């Protein structure tokens, strides 16, 4: 990179190029601000996408031992595989620690676009039942804004991203600006009808950031299936080919890849940030980039780590941490409850051919809602993702021609897996491990989190009610799990720099601005006050746009 | 597990039901996706001469190939032998790569243990087969008649035919079948036996429920958007 790039003083420095960083770069540069967008990893090109490559063309047929060797933690995510594992961080270079009895799995990508390259794409709005949950059940605090404040920004994000889905008029899951929904399978229609009739619960097609018609210059999905290996037609939303591209097209945004940010730099005389220090990923040289505002979008734990590593004499426990809450209230949706079964009477055969719908179904939360009332055993609730389709039955018993036939005949499989709300708890936190550094010499995190009794109660209830719903639809061979998986498995980590109106009880204000340092923002999942039970990325993007628009206003009023 | 009262009883009732159907990693939908714009040359190299086993002795390798073909025989579509399943098993076992058809291997410790353990388990299992044949029929497995071989395999494969004292044999059979199934259905031949169409261009839409006129769906309405 040229010296000029680093000598320029930017209006805003955005750290991270994923779902939220892409939006911040787009929104700020389109408003005319000069933006530096920093990404810790390399750039990405469509040439490395492998969504159409059959596994028999891979050396280990998608069983590469190299994945296990270099990504033993990342491998815990279904999306990390022989096809794409180089997009995920090398765990040997990027360590973190946990107490032995509190394991946590931290899934990370360092590449342009970050996790938006491999995300699950499910996109759901939160509702006022979520934003004002504390007012309803007395646990913890409400968010510092209401649904109506965020709704216009959900609209903006959805209109741009393209979310296919169906409106259901369910107060727990506000409808949005949808592209036409993908179609449900026969088994899913059966399940939808059965649970509406018997329980009054809503099952809808997944609301997903995948195009079902041409949209904003991108073409619709061609239903090949494995989005997590990339998409040559950019039909699912990932930031490099949408928001980041738009930002660069303004001419106002400078992309700096391979920039591993170690800390935020402070000007103590003005109590403002003056930029960030980063280490070049490959040369390991230390560099600075200067700007009038810093927006951290590195994902919750990574942004928090940067702040904890940015201590100054004025902020000895981490920058923007006068409240002492930075790193605390770490949440990740609780998973581990599911039910699966078979529709034995459905004779549709599995197929080795496309189309493969890269989307499932969603059962809207029905516990502790205004309609269902207070549950005796737990607060908050859970939603389900799942699906029903015929699949090849490699588990058929026996050998020989009989076995081959049974595989081909398949079974009509139906399943529901729960995502439950993770309660904000001060004792779930991350901090700097004094004895551990990554290969760039940056102090690493110690993450300490465990799900509690409420999460366990949610999963017990979820497993049982999932099985009841499958049974109501006539499924057989129902199998249930009601456990609690280790935190991090949902890959929905949020909450470590919570928003709030009281600077003593929160890290950020309602516009993601640090209470302590006014030209410092954190707009990724760190800012969440509660986790709700809906997939968080859509909300993170809407919050980012809201925060960035507010920042632009402050620039206009010359307050930055 | 926890809970109390009826809640707990419900859980136990459901858990008593049959096991979850699983798929192996690589036998999910994405395996069947069609190359488009990818060059054929990215294929793992196809050897021209006869395969030289990396790990197994020639005797064990011949057994492996024979048993794999018994599990997935040629029957209108090619079997395990033609799909090169024994080569796959040898390659994976030699490289200590864990392979499972019945569950996704998530835990790294499990994966390493499985990959390392497979070498001993395969050798011990093949030797067990020979020892069993020697005690039952007075000769090694490969020298038995097809009926004897098939009889033994069925005793290990079908619950109804299980015999006492064959526990180690059954465990080996499970292992052997997992590797065979993955090895077969991740090849082009195996996929074609399931109707894999090979290279194709885009699929324009997702059809959804295929019989909306069925009385079962009398109330079916398209979700409104």
């Amino acid at each position: 990179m040229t010296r000029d790039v680093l000598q320029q003083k930017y209006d805003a420095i955005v750290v991270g190029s994923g779902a939220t960083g892409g939006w911040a770069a787009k929104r700020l540069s389109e408003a005319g601000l000069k933006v530096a967008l920093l990404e810790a990893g390399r750039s990405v090109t469509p040439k490395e996408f492998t969504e159409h490559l059959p596994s028999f063309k891979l050396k280990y047929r998608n069983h590469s031992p190299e994945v296990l060797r270099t990504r033993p933690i990342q491998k815990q995510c279904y999306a990390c595989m022989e096809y794409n594992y180089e997009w995920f961080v090398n765990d040997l270079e990027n360590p973190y620690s946990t107490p032995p009895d509190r394991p946590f799995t931290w899934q990370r990508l360092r590449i342009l676009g970050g996790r938006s390259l491999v995300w699950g794409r499910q996109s759901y709005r939160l509702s006022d039942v979520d934003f004002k949950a504390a007012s309803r059940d007395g646990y913890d605090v409400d968010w510092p804004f209401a649904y109506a404040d965020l709704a216009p920004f959900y609209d903006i994000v959805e209109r741009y991203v393209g979310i296919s889905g169906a409106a259901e008029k369910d107060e727990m899951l506000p409808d949005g600006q949808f592209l036409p929904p993908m179609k449900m399978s026969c088994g899913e229609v059966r399940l939808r009808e059965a649970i509406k009739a018997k329980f009054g619960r809503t099952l809808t097609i997944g609301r997903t950031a995948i195009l079902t018609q041409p949209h904003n210059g991108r073409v619709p999905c061609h239903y090949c299936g494995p989005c997590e290996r990339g998409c040559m037609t950019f039909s699912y939303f990932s930031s490099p080919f949408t928001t980041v591209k738009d930002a660069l097209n303004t001419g106002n945004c400078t992309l700096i890849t391979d920039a591993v940010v170690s800390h935020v730099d402070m000007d103590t005389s003005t109590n403002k940030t003056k930029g960030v220090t980063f280490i070049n990923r490959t040369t390991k040289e230390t560099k600075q980039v200067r700007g009038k505002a810093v927006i951290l979008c590195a994902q919750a734990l990574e942004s928090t780590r940067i702040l904890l590593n940015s201590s100054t004499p004025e902020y000895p426990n981490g920058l923007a941490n006068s409240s002492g809450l930075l790193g605390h209230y770490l949440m990740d949706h609780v998973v581990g409850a599911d039910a699966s079964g078979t529709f034995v009477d459905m004779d549709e055969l599995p197929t080795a051919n496309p189309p493969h719908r890269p989307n499932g179904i969603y059962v809207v939360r029905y516990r502790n809602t205004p309609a269902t009332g207070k549950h005796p055993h737990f607060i908050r609730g859970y939603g389900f993702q799942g699906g029903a389709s015929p699949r090849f039955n490699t588990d058929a018993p026996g050998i020989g021609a009989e076995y081959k036939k049974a595989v081909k005949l398949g079974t009509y499989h139906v399943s529901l897996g729960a995502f439950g709300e993770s309660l904000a708890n001060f004792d779930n936190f991350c901090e700097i491990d004094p004895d551990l550094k990554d290969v760039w010499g940056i102090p690493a995190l110690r993450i300490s989190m465990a799900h509690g009794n409420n999460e366990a109660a949610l999963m017990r209830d979820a497993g049982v009610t999932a099985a009841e719903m499958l049974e109501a639809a006539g499924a057989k061979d129902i199998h249930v799990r009601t456990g609690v998986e280790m935190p991090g498995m949902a890959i929905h980590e949020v909450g470590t720099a919570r928003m709030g109106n009281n600077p003593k009880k929160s890290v950020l204000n309602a516009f993601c601005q640090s209470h302590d340092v006014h030209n410092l923002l954190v707009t990724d999942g760190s800012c969440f006050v509660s986790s709700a039970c809906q997939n968080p990325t859509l909300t993170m993007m809407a919050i980012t746009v809201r925060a960035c628009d507010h920042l632009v206003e402050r620039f206009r009023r010359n307050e930055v | 597990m926890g809970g109390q009262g009826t809640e707990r009883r419900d859980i136990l009732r459901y858990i008593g039901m049959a096991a979850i159907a699983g798929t192996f990693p690589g036998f999910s939908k994405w395996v069947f996706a069609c190359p488009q714009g990818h060059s054929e040359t990215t294929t793992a190299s196809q050897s021209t001469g006869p395969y030289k086993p990396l790990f197994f002795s020639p005797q064990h390798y011949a057994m492996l190939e024979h048993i794999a073909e018994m599990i997935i025989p040629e029957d209108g579509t090619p079997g395990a032998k033609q799909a090169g399943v024994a080569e796959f098993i040898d390659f994976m076992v030699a490289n200590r790569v864990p392979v499972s058809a019945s569950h996704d291997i998530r835990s790294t410790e499990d994966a390493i243990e499985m990959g390392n353990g497979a070498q001993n388990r395969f050798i011990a299992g093949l030797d067990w087969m020979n020892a069993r044949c020697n005690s039952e029929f007075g000769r090694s497995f490969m020298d038995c008649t097809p009926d004897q071989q098939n009889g033994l395999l069925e005793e290990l494969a079908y619950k109804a035919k299980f015999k006492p004292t064959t526990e180690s044999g059954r465990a080996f059979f499970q292992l052997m079948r997992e590797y065979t199934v993955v090895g077969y259905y991740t090849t082009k031949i195996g996929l074609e036996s399931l109707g894999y169409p090979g290279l194709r261009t885009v699929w324009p839409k997702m059809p959804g429920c295929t019989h909306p006129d069925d009385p079962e769906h009398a109330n079916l309405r398209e979700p409104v958007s």
Side-chain angles (χ1 to χ4, degrees):
Chain A
M1 114 201 26
T2 65
R3 188 165 284 271
D4 293 350
V5 167
L6 297 181
Q7 282 190 342
Q8 190 177 340
K9 184 167 180 187
Y10 296 91
D11 292 317
I13 298 167
V14 176
V15 179
S17 69
T20 59
W23 266 106
K26 172 182 163 69
R27 207 68 184 167
L28 299 174
S29 60
E30 286 180 344
L33 302 191
K34 295 289 179 197
V35 176
L37 175 60
L38 273 60
E39 164 54 48
R42 62 175 173 86
S43 196
V44 65
T45 79
K47 286 200 180 111
E48 57 196 284
F49 292 167
T50 54
E51 74 272 31
H52 298 156
L53 196 67
S55 70
F56 56 78
K57 298 211 170 183
L58 300 179
K59 183 174 181 191
Y60 294 97
R61 295 193 207 164
N62 209 16
H63 287 71
S64 173
E66 193 60 13
V67 183
L68 282 167
R69 194 183 71 77
T70 60
R71 273 86 177 162
I73 294 165
Q74 306 306 310
K75 176 68 191 76
Q76 288 165 340
C77 168
Y78 73 97
C80 178
M81 55 182 83
E82 184 173 353
Y83 284 102
N84 64 2
Y85 69 96
E86 289 183 337
W87 294 353
F88 288 75
V89 299
N90 183 325
D91 290 316
L92 308 175
E93 297 176 347
N94 294 276
Y96 64 93
S97 65
T98 63
D101 57 338
R102 287 163 78 87
F104 185 95
T105 184
W106 187 11
Q107 303 298 317
R108 292 190 275 173
L109 277 81
R110 281 185 169 180
I111 187 165
L112 190 67
R115 296 194 296 197
S116 79
L117 286 177
V118 300
W119 68 311
R121 310 167 299 282
Q122 294 291 301
S123 301
Y124 301 99
R125 293 187 177 202
L126 271 54
S127 78
D128 268 334
V129 176
D130 303 306
F131 293 122
K132 298 176 192 300
S135 293
R136 288 172 45 78
D137 60 28
Y139 184 84
D140 202 33
V141 292
D142 287 342
W143 289 54
F145 53 72
Y147 175 71
D149 298 314
L150 197 59
F153 299 95
Y154 276 130
D155 286 346
I156 291 169
V157 170
E158 287 168 345
R159 284 199 183 104
Y160 177 83
V161 165
I163 309 290
S164 65
E168 297 286 358
K169 297 185 171 59
D170 188 309
E171 66 177 324
M172 298 304 294
L173 197 74
D175 295 330
Q177 307 294 328
F178 297 135
L179 302 181
M182 294 182 186
K183 290 210 167 64
M184 287 187 201
S185 71
C186 184
E188 291 161 354
V189 171
R190 176 187 285 189
L191 186 59
R192 172 182 163 92
E193 294 191 355
I195 70 174
K196 182 63 93 180
K198 179 143 189 206
F199 304 105
R201 297 171 187 164
T202 301
L203 181 157
T204 189
I205 186 72
R207 295 175 180 175
T208 182
I210 300 176
L211 305 184
T212 50
Q213 64 185 30
H215 188 73
N216 289 341
R218 294 185 288 135
V219 300
C221 178
H222 54 279
Y223 300 99
C224 72
C227 302
E228 62 277 5
R229 283 156 35 190
C231 180
M232 289 179 185
T233 57
F234 311 128
S235 300
Y236 76 86
F237 177 80
S238 64
S239 61
F241 312 101
T242 54
T243 48
V244 171
K245 190 175 125 203
D246 285 1
L248 297 178
N249 283 344
T250 64
N252 291 329
C253 180
T254 304
L255 173 64
I256 306 174
T257 52
D258 299 313
V260 184
V261 172
S262 62
H263 60 275
V264 175
D265 296 310
M266 282 295 287
D267 179 343
T268 45
S269 61
T270 59
N271 189 38
K272 285 183 174 178
T273 72
K274 56 184 183 187
V276 302
T277 294
F278 66 88
I279 297 164
N280 183 290
R281 185 176 63 91
T282 51
T283 67
K284 305 212 171 155
E285 287 172 278
T286 301
K287 312 236 175 181
Q288 273 90 32
V289 58
R290 295 289 170 242
K292 293 179 194 162
V294 170
I295 299 102
L296 297 181
C297 298
Q299 71 100 259
L301 289 162
E302 200 73 77
S303 290
T304 303
R305 176 184 174 202
I306 290 169
L307 291 176
L308 290 169
N309 277 329
S310 305
S311 299
T312 65
E314 291 75 23
Y315 299 101
N317 302 313
L319 191 58
N321 192 21
S322 67
S323 65
L325 300 181
L326 181 66
H328 291 270
Y329 301 106
L330 171 61
M331 296 169 270
D332 178 57
H333 287 151
V334 56
V335 292
D338 51 45
S340 60
T342 315
F343 286 136
V344 288
D345 56 328
M346 285 197 170
D347 51 10
E348 187 180 339
L349 293 173
T351 170
N353 307 346
H356 299 296
R357 190 189 67 198
N359 184 25
I361 51 170
Y362 192 79
V363 178
V364 183
R365 172 178 155 190
Y366 48 77
R367 290 302 197 208
N368 293 311
T369 72
T372 59
K374 208 166 152 15
H375 194 276
H377 297 138
F378 52 81
I379 59 171
R380 313 293 163 96
Y382 51 82
F384 289 102
Q385 291 176 38
S389 59
R391 59 161 68 167
F392 294 110
N393 184 19
T394 53
D395 285 347
I399 55 168
E402 187 189 342
Y403 172 74
K404 266 178 101 174
K405 202 173 152 192
V407 171
K408 210 168 166 176
L409 205 56
T411 54
Y412 202 105
H413 185 81
V414 54
S415 67
L416 293 173
F419 285 76
E421 178 154 352
S422 163
L423 293 181
N425 178 349
F426 180 84
D427 297 327
N428 288 330
F429 66 99
C430 63
E431 61 185 355
I432 297 299
D433 184 326
D435 303 318
L436 191 63
K437 288 178 176 168
D438 65 19
V439 294
W440 298 276
I442 304 171
L445 282 183
R446 180 174 179 80
I447 302 170
S448 176
M449 176 173 178
H451 286 305
N453 292 334
N454 199 69
E455 286 84 359
L458 284 174
M459 290 298 97
R460 281 197 297 275
D461 187 62
V464 172
T465 58
E468 282 170 358
M469 290 191 282
L470 298 192
E471 199 169 49
K476 306 291 182 208
D477 302 332
I478 296 171
H479 182 83
V480 179
R481 295 193 314 145
T482 57
V484 170
E485 289 211 34
M486 98 174 101
M489 283 307 288
I491 323 181
H492 291 165
E493 64 280 8
V494 294
T496 44
R498 55 172 28 196
M499 293 187 287
N501 292 324
N502 183 346
K504 289 199 167 60
K505 294 185 171 175
S506 57
V507 177
L508 307 171
N509 72 12
F511 293 97
C512 300
Q513 185 186 347
S514 158
H515 288 302
D516 296 343
V517 181
H518 293 171
N519 65 340
L520 171 66
L521 283 78
V522 188
T523 77
D524 56 28
S526 314
C527 69
F528 277 41
V529 178
S530 68
S531 71
C533 67
Q534 297 91 317
N535 305 50
T537 306
L538 180 72
T539 301
M540 290 178 197
M541 293 194 283
I543 286 174
T544 299
V545 174
R546 182 169 180 266
C548 288
D549 284 9
H550 186 256
L551 180 66
V552 169
E553 267 311 300
R554 288 173 57 221
F555 264 103
R556 291 209 173 111
R557 294 199 302 264
N558 216 11
E559 288 175 9
V560 182
Chain B
M1 287 296 306
Q4 61 271 337
T6 56
E7 199 179 330
R8 180 165 172 79
R9 278 203 304 279
D10 283 344
I11 294 167
L12 294 175
R13 180 163 67 95
Y14 286 118
I15 286 175
M17 296 176 180
I20 189 168
T23 59
F24 56 84
F27 186 48
S28 306
K29 54 195 171 157
W30 52 80
V31 172
F32 310 118
C34 38
Q36 176 206 340
H38 286 291
S39 131
E40 293 284 324
T41 55
T42 50
T43 307
S45 60
Q46 311 241 315
S47 65
T48 42
Y51 182 77
K52 289 200 185 79
L54 301 166
F55 173 74
F56 291 100
S57 69
Q59 292 75 21
H60 276 155
Y61 185 78
M63 266 180 92
L64 208 62
E65 192 163 48
H66 189 74
I67 296 171
E69 180 70 14
M70 288 176 74
I71 293 172
I72 301 186
E74 185 174 348
D75 67 335
T77 57
K81 190 165 182 178
Q82 208 176 320
V85 167
E87 296 176 19
F88 171 83
I89 297 175
D90 178 62
F91 181 76
M92 292 302 196
V93 172
N95 286 289
R96 300 169 185 262
V97 182
V99 171
S100 172
S102 57
H103 60 282
D104 202 347
I105 308 161
R106 285 275 186 81
S107 146
T108 304
E109 290 76 17
D110 286 357
I112 291 169
E113 195 278 321
M114 281 175 66
N116 288 341
Q119 296 194 341
N120 285 336
R121 294 172 67 201
F122 264 99
I123 298 291
L126 293 167
D127 288 344
W128 183 93
M129 298 287 280
N130 277 329
R132 180 78 181 179
C133 288
N134 271 318
S135 73
E136 292 281 301
F137 312 115
R139 55 198 135 175
S140 67
F141 180 81
M142 292 299 275
D143 293 330
C144 287
T145 66
D147 279 352
Q148 289 169 335
Q149 290 175 342
N150 212 50
L152 173 57
L153 226 53
E154 289 190 351
E155 282 173 18
L156 305 177
Y158 293 95
K159 219 174 211 169
K161 298 186 179 179
F162 284 177
K163 287 185 176 167
T165 75
T166 58
E167 288 84 356
S168 350
R170 278 182 254 151
F172 166 69
F173 173 78
Q174 286 304 327
L175 178 77
M176 177 69 198
R177 212 188 79 156
E178 301 241 319
Y179 277 68
T180 302
V181 165
V182 175
Y184 181 73
Y185 288 110
T186 52
T187 59
K188 193 153 188 243
I189 283 174
L191 293 173
E192 280 167 350
S193 82
L194 300 173
Y196 172 64
L199 312 188
R200 270 211 185 165
T201 52
V202 298
W203 205 272
K205 66 185 176 68
M206 187 70 212
C209 172
T210 47
H211 53 289
D213 296 331
D214 192 295
E216 179 182 12
H217 295 326
N219 303 315
L220 170 61
R221 275 175 222 95
E222 289 280 313
V224 284
S225 64

